[in-house]
Amino acid sequence: MTQAHELHFRWNHAEDVAPAAAFAGRVIGAASSYISHGEIQTGLSDDGRSWVSNLERLYLEDFSDRGNRDLLVAHDAAGEVCGLLMLAWEASSRRRFAVIEDMAVDPSQRSQGIGKRMIDLAETRIRERGVEWVFLESGRDNEGAHHFFERAGFKRQSAVFARKL
C-alpha cells in the first residue's frame, strides 16, 4: 500500500512524458467509462464508446506538445507513474479559467490520497495564477470518478449532448 508521504509529484518534466503516455494508454484506455465528449472532440475515441487503437501514441503527442497546459505526474516509492493530471489554461473575452483535461490514478493505488493530492496541487497552481474557476468533464458512466470529484468539491454544472452525422 502506497502512503502519501512515499509519493513524489512534479510538474512539466520532459522525462515524465513517455511514461505518463504509457500510463494513460494503459489505465485510461482500460475503461471506456472514461470517454466523454472531449475524447471524441480530440480524436481519442471515434464513437464515444471505445478508444482508438493508437491511444498511447496520441497521449504521447498531447503530453509532448502541451501548448498552454501543465502536466502533473505522481510517482510512487519505486519511481513508477501512479497518477497524472493535465491542466489546461483557457480564456474567453470575459473570463480566464482552468480545465482538468485528464486525470487518472492507478486502479491498484486508488483511495490512498493520490487523486486528492493531485487536485490540491492543481488548485494551488490555479490560485497562484489568479484564476477562480476550474472545470472538468467525466464520462457519463464513470460513477466512481463522479463521486470522487463531488467529494473534492466539484458540482455538476451541465449535461452535454452529441450527435454523429
Side-chain angles (χ1 to χ4, degrees), residues 21 24-25 28 44 51 55-63 102:
I28 295 172
L44 300 177
W51 297 101
L55 185 62
E56 181 179 337
R57 184 180 62 77
L58 294 180
Y59 274 121
L60 182 60
E61 290 174 8
D62 290 349
F63 296 170
D102 283 302

Side-chain angles (χ1 to χ4, degrees), residues 143-162:
E143 291 298 326
H146 301 171
H147 295 301
F148 168 80
F149 292 125
E150 288 168 346
R151 284 190 311 273
F154 289 83
K155 307 285 185 238
R156 291 181 195 242
Q157 190 62 41
S158 62
V160 175
F161 297 86

Side-chain angles (χ1 to χ4, degrees), residues 28-32 34-35 39 44-45 49-53 55 59:
I28 295 172
S32 62
Y34 186 98
I35 298 170
E39 283 72 36
L44 300 177
S45 173
R49 295 182 306 277
S50 60
W51 297 101
V52 294
S53 61
L55 185 62
Y59 274 121

Side-chain angles (χ1 to χ4, degrees), residues 60-121:
L60 182 60
E61 290 174 8
D62 290 349
F63 296 170
S64 296
D65 181 21
R66 289 187 314 273
N68 203 22
R69 298 181 293 182
D70 289 331
L71 177 64
L72 175 64
V73 177
H75 298 268
D76 63 19
E80 298 297 318
V81 174
C82 61
L84 65 82
L85 183 148
M86 179 66 84
L87 185 61
W89 303 102
E90 305 285 345
S92 71
S93 62
R94 297 183 189 103
R95 182 179 314 277
R96 294 179 5 201
F97 56 97
V99 177
I100 297 174
E101 290 187 341
D102 283 302
M103 181 176 170
V105 173
D106 188 302
S108 70
Q109 297 185 48
R110 290 183 182 154
S111 298
Q112 297 179 35
I114 298 168
K116 171 78 169 92
R117 183 78 172 118
M118 288 192 303
I119 291 289
D120 291 346
L121 290 166

